[in-house]
Amino acid sequence: MKEFVVIHDYLVTEGIVGDWDGQEEIVAERVNEIYHTLYDLAEEDIETEVLEGLLALVWDTWIGQEALPEIETDDIYDWCRHLLDNREQHLQQD
C-alpha cells in the first residue's frame, strides 16, 4: 500500500548526487522530481514492495545519465508512466 512508503526517505540533496560540474542542485531537483512523480502516479493500492522496488530503480537508472540536468518535466512523467505500466518487466531485471 502506497501510504506505507515514506517518499522523504528517497529524496536526495546536492551532497548525495556527487560531482556534476556545478549542476548538483539541478540534478538533485530532477532526481527528486522523478521520485515525486513516480510516487504520485502510483495507484493507492500498489503493493509496498513493488513501489519500493520501483523507487529504487530511479537512482540506479538516472544518477549516471549525462542528460539528467536537462530532462524536462514531460519526459519525467513519460518515464514514470512507462515504468509503472511495465513494472513486472523492470522489476524482474533486478
Side-chain angles (χ1 to χ4, degrees):
M1 305 298 284
K2 184 174 168 178
E3 69 266 12
F4 297 122
V5 177
V6 179
I7 191 63
H8 296 286
D9 290 345
Y10 292 88
L11 301 181
V12 298
T13 63
E14 295 173 37
I16 293 174
V17 298
D19 182 19
W20 282 85
D21 295 326
Q23 294 184 304
E24 294 82 7
E25 181 178 359
I26 191 74
V27 167
E29 289 175 7
R30 291 294 180 267
V31 171
N32 289 337
E33 183 178 354
I34 297 168
Y35 282 127
H36 277 290
T37 302
L38 183 59
Y39 185 85
D40 291 345
L41 288 174
E43 55 276 4
E44 294 298 321
D45 63 347
I46 191 170
E47 293 180 30
T48 302
E49 297 80 20
V50 171
L51 182 54
E52 289 172 339
L54 294 172
L55 289 168
L57 288 173
V58 171
W59 181 266
D60 295 342
T61 301
W62 285 103
I63 198 58
Q65 298 295 323
E66 291 180 21
L68 185 55
E70 289 88 30
I71 191 169
E72 299 290 331
T73 297
D74 289 343
D75 296 324
I76 290 172
Y77 178 91
D78 291 345
W79 184 83
C80 292
R81 184 80 264 150
H82 172 80
L83 185 61
L84 285 164
D85 291 346
N86 298 285
R87 68 186 77 175
E88 293 86 13
Q89 174 188 357
H90 290 284
L91 291 175
Q92 287 176 356
Q93 292 175 358
D94 272 353

